[in-house]
Amino acid sequence: MPSPAAAQQVMKGLRTGAASCATKELAVKTAPVVKLGDEALTVSAQNVSKQSLGGAERAVVVRKGSAVLVYSEFTAYGKIGKHDFTRLLADARAMAARLCQAAGEC
């Protein structure tokens, strides 16, 4: 993003957009992640309709200064749990530290 303020707007838009996508057939949840970048959140979206073949998306979104990182994966249908985000959070933490060094925003 061109500035930290613009990146903050992206994060705000993501939270607002995720909330507006939730329907009775699509469960969408966000949750803040502490101690990761300047701000971070997890996002999950899962089709819960009876006609669904299953599948869901899990993501970790991190803002560090003017950068926004997204780590995402599609997973099998099932209850959403903290274990769904373990690998994504590890990758996001590693990259946020590298980004901080490369961008000089630490």
Side-chain angles (χ1 to χ4, degrees), residues 1-104:
M1 301 284 102
S3 69
Q8 286 175 322
Q9 284 300 107
V10 167
M11 296 295 286
K12 181 179 177 183
L14 179 61
R15 285 188 294 274
T16 302
S20 69
C21 286
T23 67
K24 65 181 182 179
E25 294 182 347
L26 182 65
V28 180
K29 297 180 182 178
T30 62
V33 178
V34 296
K35 298 182 183 178
L36 181 55
D38 294 326
E39 64 181 308
L41 65 134
T42 59
V43 180
S44 61
Q46 187 161 324
N47 188 328
V48 293
S49 71
K50 292 181 181 177
Q51 295 81 20
S52 172
L53 296 175
E57 183 173 6
R58 311 289 191 252
V60 174
V61 184
V62 181
R63 181 185 69 81
K64 181 69 180 172
S66 61
V68 177
L69 306 170
V70 179
Y71 285 87
S72 177
E73 70 181 7
F74 290 93
T75 62
Y77 184 83
K79 281 191 168 186
I80 299 167
K82 288 184 179 182
H83 65 280
D84 289 315
F85 298 99
T86 303
R87 184 175 52 232
L88 295 172
L89 284 166
D91 290 344
R93 281 190 176 93
M95 187 52 74
R98 289 180 182 162
L99 179 68
C100 181
Q101 293 170 348

